[in-house]
Amino acid sequence: MAVRFRILGSIEASINGELVDLGPRQQQCVLVALLVNANRPVSGDELIERAWGEKPPPRARNTLYTYLSRLRQALSGSDEVTLLRKQAGYQLQIGEQAIDLHQFRGLIAQARASSEPEVAAGLIRQALDLWRGEALPGLDTPWLHGIRATLLKDRLAAELEYTDLALAVGKHAELLATLASQTEQRPLDERLAGQFMLALYRSGRQADALTHYQRTQARLGDELGIRPSEPLRTLYQQMLTADPVVAAPRGPGAAARAEPDRPASVHLAELPAPRQLPAAPRSFTGRSQEIALLSETIDAHQANAAGGTVVISAIGGAGGIGKTSLALHWAHENADRFPDGQLFVNLRGFDPSGEPRTAESAIRILLAALGVEPNAVPVDLDAQVGLYRSLVADKRMLIVLDNAADAEQVSPLLPGSASCTVLVTSRDRLTSLVNTHGAQPLPLDVLGDAEARALLVQRLGAARVAEEPVAVNELLACCSGLPLALSIVVGRAQEHPEFPLATLAAELRERTNRLGALDEDNDNGVRAVLSWSYVALAPQQARVFALLGLSVGPDISLPAAASLTGVRASQLRPLLRQLERVSLVQQPLPGRYRMHDLIRLYAAEQADRLPDDERSGALCRLLNFYTYTALAGDRLIAPNREQIPIGEPVDGGAPEKPVNTTSATNWFDTEYWCLRAAQIVAMEHGWFRLSWLMTWALANFHGRRGHPRDDLAVCGLGLTAAERLDDPKALGLAHRLLGYAYALNGRHPEAAKHFTIALELQEREQDLRALARTHHSFALALERVGNDELALEHAVESLEIFRSLGDQIGMGRELNAVAWFEARLGNYERARTACAAALRRNVANDDPDGEADTLDTLGFIAYHSGNLAEAREYYERALVHFRAIGHTHYQADIHGHLGEIHRGLGDIAAARAEFVQSRELYRSNRRGADVDRIQRQLNDLDDRPRMQLAT
C-alpha cells in the first residue's frame, strides 16, 4: 500500500492517502531522525539525543522503545516501509521517493545536471512545490534546529537557482510578485535584489529597478555599514546605460512574454478558483455560540442581496485567544458557501518582525491569486485597489484578512461587492471599521471551564484526564481559559505520555514561573505572542501597561489606576482605551479594568524592568489610595466610631471621597478584594502602618456585612502590623479587633486572651474610650458562650467609663448593651427602662446605628414577653434603620425574627417571605450555617405547629 512522508512543512505520513497518527512530539522527532537517514541505521543514543537534546529525562530509553513500537504499529498498514532493528541501531527501510525531503534533493540534483535551462527550471520548480511551509514546526531540539536551518538554506538556494534559470528563459514577468515578497522578507540579500531588479527592468519598469537598487544600497549602509557588491553595482550601471546584456532574452521560450519596450495589458492567467485557506486547525473545540453567530450573520447578509459588504471584523481579542483558529475552522466548514473561491492574507499586524504588511503588498498577493499577471499590476495603489474590486465584483468569495494591525490597514482590501464576505482577525477592536463599514464585531473571550476541559479530553483522551482530576483542575486554573496556553500544556503532556499531569501542574503552580513554563522557546509561546502586542505600543501606553501589572486586586478602577500610574484620570482614560483597543486590558464595567491572568503576569515582567524607585513609588501610591479611601468611607459609614491617628497619604495617592453612606458602602463592596490584597501587599513591602490602617477601616465593614472568616484573617494581619509599630494604642486596638474576630468564629479561648491583653494595654495607657469599647466587645463575645452575667458586668463597666467621659453617644449605645443582657437574663422591666434611656440619647445625638440596635433590643423584649404585634412593630422599625445604614448582617437577623413572629401569628405566607429574605441575605454574606438554619425553618414551615410563646 502506497506510503508517503512529508517533512517539508508540518510532519505528515499517509498510507493510501489516509493520514497516519504519528503520536506526541518526541515520537515525531524519532521518526524525523529515521526519515532524514532513511535506509541507514541510527543508533539508540543518536535517536535519544535527536529527540530530547543533550539532557534527556531519566526514562528516555524506555520511552524510545515505546515510541519505536508505536511507529511500527502505525506504519504496519503499508508493505513499502519497514522499521528494522540492526546491530548499529534502527533503520527505516523505504524507497526515497516516498519521502519529500529526498525527493526534493533528487530533483535539485537532476536540475543541476541538466544542460537545458528550461528543463532545469522545471525540475527545481517541482522541488520547490514540495514545500508546504516552515519545515517541522513545533519540533524543537538542538539537532532539529540544525536540520531546520540546513533545509531552509537548501530551499533558499533552490529558489535563487530557479529565479536565475527562469530569468534566463524570459519568465521575468511571472516572477515579479514572488520576488517582491521575497525581497521584503530578505532585504539584505544582494543576489535576490539583483534578480528583482532584473525582473523589473525586463518588464519595462526601469525606474522601479533603479529605485530598488538605491533602497538596497541605503539599507546595506545603514544596517551593515557596507556598499553593494561589485556584481550588483555592475548590474545597476548596465541598467542606467540600457546595456543589451540586461535586456530580456529573445527566442521561443520568451516570445509569448511581455517585452520591455511594450506596455503590459491586464491579462488573467487561466487559474482555477483560488483556494488559499491554510489548513483547518486539527483540534478545535468550543466556540459554538461564536460559530453560530458567524453563520447567522452570513445567512442574514445573503438573504439581503441589497446589503453592503459584510465584514465580521471583531473576531478580536488578546494574543493566543484563538482568533485565527476560529476564522479558519468556520471558513473550512462553510467553504461551499463561496463557490468562486477563498482568499487569505496574513497582514502581520502583530508579528515578531514588527512590520505589518503594506496594503500594496497585500493587494499584490490578492491580485496574483485572482490570476493577474505580475506585469499587468498597476503601479498606483488606488489603481491596484480598483482592479482588485473589479475582479471580485459579483463573485461569491470569502476573503480572510488575518492578524490586522488596524482598520486603516484593512480598508483598502475590502471589496465593493455585496456578494463577498470578509473575515478579519485582529487584536485591535477595529472600531472605525465597525462604524464606517458596518462590520459586525465578534470579540473572543477565554474558553469556559467546560470548553477548556473538552479540549484536554479531545487531545489527551478521556481516560488520562479522568485519572488525575485534581491536576487537571489545576492546569485549567493556571491556563485561565487561554487556548494558546491550553494547547502548549497539551503539547507538553503529549511529549511525555508517561509523566503524570501532576508534574506539569506543579511546574505551572508558581506564578513567577508560569510564563516560562508556557514558553516553547520560539515565536509561539505565550510570552512571545503577548510581546507582539507590547512592542507595538507607544512609550506612554507601554509604561501604563507595565504598571498595571503591579495592581493588587482582581481588577482596578480608573481612580486607582490614576494613583498607580501617577497620570491624571482624564489623561489616563485614553491610554487605557488604547490598551483595551488592542485587547491587553478589558473593561467589563464602566470605569473598571482587568487583565487576563497571563497577560497580567507578562505586564508584571515588564514592570520588573522599570527602575526600582519608579516601581516602588507606583505601588506605594496605589496602596495609599486604597487605604485612605477606605478610611474616608469608614468615617461616613460609622461617623460616631472612635477616631484614630491616620496621618496623610503620600503624594499622588489621592483617595476618593465618597459623598454619603450609600456610596461608601458600595465602594467597599466593589473594591473589597482589592482592599484585602492591598493589606497583604503592604505587609510584604514593610509598610506596616498602611496594613494596620486597612485593618481598622475594614473591621466595621465586616461587621455590617457579616464576614467572620475574612475578619479573622484581616485582624490577624493587623495585629502583626501593629506589633511592628511603636504604638501601644494601635496594639491595644488590634488585640481588641482580633479578640472579637475570634469570638465571631467560635474560638472563645483565643478571644478571651486577646481581650485581656487589650484591656491591660489600654488601662496602662489610660486610653479610656478605647477601654470602654473593649469592655463592650468583650461583653458581646461572652454572650456567644452564654455567659450573660459576666457580659452584663463588662457592659456596666463600659457604661460607667462613657459616663465619666460625658460621652453621650457611647452612653446611649452602652445603655442598650446593658438592656440587652438584662433581657437575656429575663429582667425585662429593667431592660425596658435602660432601652428607653438609650433611645432618648440615640435620637438626641442622631445616632442611627444606636437607634437601630435599641429597637432590635425592644423587639427581643416584646417577643419574649409574648407581645408579638409589638415585637413586629419594633423589628420593622429597626429594619428600616439597618437598611438605611447598609447593615445587611443585622437585616438578615431581623428578617429571621419577623419570620418567627409571622409564623407565631399564623401568617405562613408572610413568614415564608421573611425567611426567604433572611436566607438570601445570609447567603450573600457567606454565612453558610445561618443559611442552613433558615432553610430548615422554611422546610418545616408547613409541618410544624404554631410556636408556643415564651413568657
Side-chain angles (χ1 to χ4, degrees), residues 449-619:
D449 182 75
E451 292 179 320
R453 193 177 299 274
L455 188 150
L456 294 187
V457 170
Q458 184 185 62
R459 299 279 297 277
L460 298 179
R464 191 173 181 191
V465 171
E467 191 176 66
E468 297 185 72
V470 175
V472 167
N473 289 339
E474 190 166 4
L475 289 175
L476 292 174
C478 290
C479 293
S480 303
L482 188 70
L484 174 61
L486 288 164
S487 295
I488 292 172
V489 164
V490 166
R492 296 190 58 194
Q494 288 176 327
E495 286 177 9
H496 300 288
E498 74 281 10
F499 286 8
L501 295 179
T503 302
L504 185 54
E507 189 177 350
L508 293 173
R509 187 176 300 136
E510 179 56 48
R511 286 177 59 85
T512 55
N513 296 333
R514 193 169 299 161
L515 283 180
L518 292 172
D519 247 338
E520 291 198 317
D521 299 321
N522 58 30
D523 290 335
N524 294 317
V526 172
R527 183 185 281 122
V529 169
L530 295 178
S531 73
W532 307 342
S533 294
Y534 179 69
V535 297
L537 298 175
Q540 195 173 14
Q541 296 166 4
R543 176 182 177 273
V544 168
F545 172 75
L547 290 176
L548 288 175
L550 300 176
S551 59
V552 297
D555 58 5
I556 190 168
S557 67
L558 179 63
S563 288
L564 172 66
T565 61
V567 178
R568 289 185 179 181
S570 60
Q571 298 171 322
L572 181 60
R573 188 178 283 108
L575 295 174
L576 290 170
R577 192 178 300 123
Q578 290 299 311
L579 295 178
E580 186 183 6
R581 185 175 65 82
V582 296
S583 304
L584 287 174
V585 302
Q586 296 170 297
Q587 190 178 187
L589 295 170
R592 295 202 72 80
Y593 301 87
R594 65 180 173 87
M595 290 175 162
H596 184 276
D597 287 351
L598 297 175
I599 294 178
R600 184 164 166 181
L601 286 176
Y602 180 76
E605 287 187 349
Q606 308 318 305
D608 286 341
R609 299 178 180 180
L610 297 174
D612 290 346
D613 57 345
E614 182 177 3
R615 190 171 60 251
S616 177
L619 187 58

Side-chain angles (χ1 to χ4, degrees), residues 491-764:
R492 296 190 58 194
Q494 288 176 327
E495 286 177 9
H496 300 288
E498 74 281 10
F499 286 8
L501 295 179
T503 302
L504 185 54
E507 189 177 350
L508 293 173
R509 187 176 300 136
E510 179 56 48
R511 286 177 59 85
T512 55
N513 296 333
R514 193 169 299 161
L515 283 180
L518 292 172
D519 247 338
E520 291 198 317
D521 299 321
N522 58 30
D523 290 335
N524 294 317
V526 172
R527 183 185 281 122
V529 169
L530 295 178
S531 73
W532 307 342
S533 294
Y534 179 69
V535 297
L537 298 175
Q540 195 173 14
Q541 296 166 4
R543 176 182 177 273
V544 168
F545 172 75
L547 290 176
L548 288 175
L550 300 176
S551 59
V552 297
D555 58 5
I556 190 168
S557 67
L558 179 63
S563 288
L564 172 66
T565 61
V567 178
R568 289 185 179 181
S570 60
Q571 298 171 322
L572 181 60
R573 188 178 283 108
L575 295 174
L576 290 170
R577 192 178 300 123
Q578 290 299 311
L579 295 178
E580 186 183 6
R581 185 175 65 82
V582 296
S583 304
L584 287 174
V585 302
Q586 296 170 297
Q587 190 178 187
L589 295 170
R592 295 202 72 80
Y593 301 87
R594 65 180 173 87
M595 290 175 162
H596 184 276
D597 287 351
L598 297 175
I599 294 178
R600 184 164 166 181
L601 286 176
Y602 180 76
E605 287 187 349
Q606 308 318 305
D608 286 341
R609 299 178 180 180
L610 297 174
D612 290 346
D613 57 345
E614 182 177 3
R615 190 171 60 251
S616 177
L619 187 58
C620 185
R621 290 193 302 270
L622 178 65
L623 300 187
N624 272 261
F625 166 84
Y626 283 131
T627 302
Y628 282 89
T629 305
L631 289 167
D634 180 63
R635 285 185 177 177
L636 276 171
I637 292 171
N640 297 318
R641 189 184 186 196
E642 63 198 288
Q643 301 299 310
I644 65 170
I646 62 174
E648 296 292 330
V650 298
D651 290 342
E656 287 190 87
K657 297 179 179 179
V659 296
N660 53 38
T661 300
T662 300
S663 67
T665 303
N666 290 342
W667 185 88
F668 271 106
D669 283 332
T670 302
E671 300 287 359
Y672 182 67
W673 294 109
C674 295
L675 304 182
R676 290 287 310 277
Q679 185 198 26
I680 295 170
V681 173
M683 279 295 294
E684 291 172 348
H685 284 74
W687 296 325
F688 304 122
R689 174 67 61 182
L690 290 177
S691 188
W692 153 243
L693 290 175
M694 185 63 79
T695 303
W696 180 257
L698 281 173
N700 189 55
F701 175 74
H702 281 154
R704 290 171 182 269
R705 285 292 186 258
H707 295 329
R709 282 189 293 248
D710 293 350
D711 199 40
L712 186 60
V714 168
C715 292
L717 208 57
L719 177 60
T720 302
E723 288 172 340
R724 305 289 181 90
L725 301 171
D726 185 18
D727 187 346
K729 291 188 176 183
L731 188 59
L733 293 174
H735 276 289
R736 180 183 94 201
L737 295 179
L738 184 56
Y740 193 63
Y742 272 123
L744 292 176
N745 284 274
R747 297 172 61 176
H748 302 294
E750 293 99 324
K753 170 188 171 184
H754 286 285
F755 279 129
T756 302
I757 295 172
L759 290 172
E760 291 173 353
L761 284 168
Q762 289 156 355
E763 286 175 354
R764 187 187 313 149

Side-chain angles (χ1 to χ4, degrees), residues 711-841:
D711 199 40
L712 186 60
V714 168
C715 292
L717 208 57
L719 177 60
T720 302
E723 288 172 340
R724 305 289 181 90
L725 301 171
D726 185 18
D727 187 346
K729 291 188 176 183
L731 188 59
L733 293 174
H735 276 289
R736 180 183 94 201
L737 295 179
L738 184 56
Y740 193 63
Y742 272 123
L744 292 176
N745 284 274
R747 297 172 61 176
H748 302 294
E750 293 99 324
K753 170 188 171 184
H754 286 285
F755 279 129
T756 302
I757 295 172
L759 290 172
E760 291 173 353
L761 284 168
Q762 289 156 355
E763 286 175 354
R764 187 187 313 149
E765 294 295 319
Q766 284 299 292
D767 190 353
L768 297 181
R769 188 166 274 102
L771 184 64
R773 293 183 184 275
T774 301
H775 278 296
H776 175 84
S777 296
F778 203 172
L780 297 179
L782 289 165
E783 173 196 343
R784 289 179 169 271
V785 293
N787 195 341
D788 293 318
E789 292 88 351
L790 186 55
L792 179 60
E793 291 179 16
H794 279 284
V796 169
E797 184 69 25
S798 176
L799 176 61
E800 292 306 315
I801 296 173
F802 280 128
R803 186 173 282 129
S804 71
L805 293 171
D807 186 332
Q808 295 298 314
I809 292 176
M811 289 172 62
R813 293 192 177 187
E814 215 53 47
L815 279 165
N816 174 64
V818 169
W820 175 255
F821 292 114
E822 290 282 16
R824 285 180 59 83
L825 291 167
N827 303 320
Y828 297 129
E829 288 306 316
R830 282 192 296 213
R832 286 193 186 93
T833 301
C835 276
L839 199 57
R840 287 194 298 272
R841 285 176 169 79

